[in-house]
Amino acid sequence: MERDAEKDLQMCEAATPGPWKTSQHDQYSLDIVSAPEQEVICWTDSFGQGARDGYFIAEAREALPYWIDRAVSLEKEVGMLRDALEKIDIHIRSTGDPVPHIIQTLKDTLPEYKEWWDIGE
């Protein structure tokens, strides 16, 4: 099933603000609560699979938005790098001396390396 990052992030933002944590309610139940308010979000069994699910729910409140943002950011970066590689490929195939264009494309695409590329020029 394909996911929509924007809708998933909106779902996260609509939930009770995090972070969430687990809190032992009694001998048999585990609360998932907002921190520091201690507002009960939901509860589960405090043993076995229920406890593992509770810890997952609490951690997912912060983890899911983090990883969605990270994935969206990396997808943009991958697109930018693919565009640069396509430009380089076109010049390699169509010109006798593609090196100057390759260097310029790398400088434009990876500005953090501009100073390094200027060495020796």
Side-chain angles (χ1 to χ4, degrees):
M1 178 174 113
E2 183 110 359
R3 301 291 309 196
D4 181 324
E6 187 175 327
K7 285 183 181 179
D8 285 346
L9 201 50
Q10 288 172 353
M11 174 188 62
C12 293
E13 291 168 357
T16 301
W20 294 355
K21 64 179 190 169
T22 56
S23 176
Q24 191 74 37
H25 178 79
D26 60 28
Q27 183 178 356
Y28 301 106
S29 64
L30 186 68
D31 291 339
I32 292 81
V33 299
S34 62
E37 297 85 5
Q38 297 295 307
E39 177 184 338
V40 176
I41 307 300
C42 62
W43 64 271
T44 185
D45 294 335
S46 63
F47 51 89
Q49 189 62 46
R52 290 187 291 276
D53 291 346
Y55 291 117
F56 171 79
I57 292 166
E59 288 298 316
R61 177 61 188 94
E62 297 290 306
L64 187 56
Y66 171 84
W67 289 112
I68 291 171
D69 286 339
R70 181 116 166 93
V72 168
S73 174
L74 290 172
E75 285 175 348
K76 287 177 186 174
E77 185 174 350
V78 166
M80 179 189 66
L81 294 172
R82 282 186 183 205
D83 290 347
L85 287 173
E86 286 174 12
K87 288 177 187 176
I88 289 170
D89 180 56
I90 289 167
H91 276 62
I92 287 173
R93 295 171 189 269
S94 64
T95 62
D97 185 16
V99 174
H101 180 76
I102 292 170
I103 290 172
Q104 187 59 51
T105 301
L106 290 170
K107 284 180 183 179
D108 294 344
T109 305
L110 306 170
E112 64 271 23
Y113 295 108
K114 183 170 179 17
E115 288 180 22
W116 185 84
W117 285 108
D118 287 340
I119 294 173
E121 285 188 18

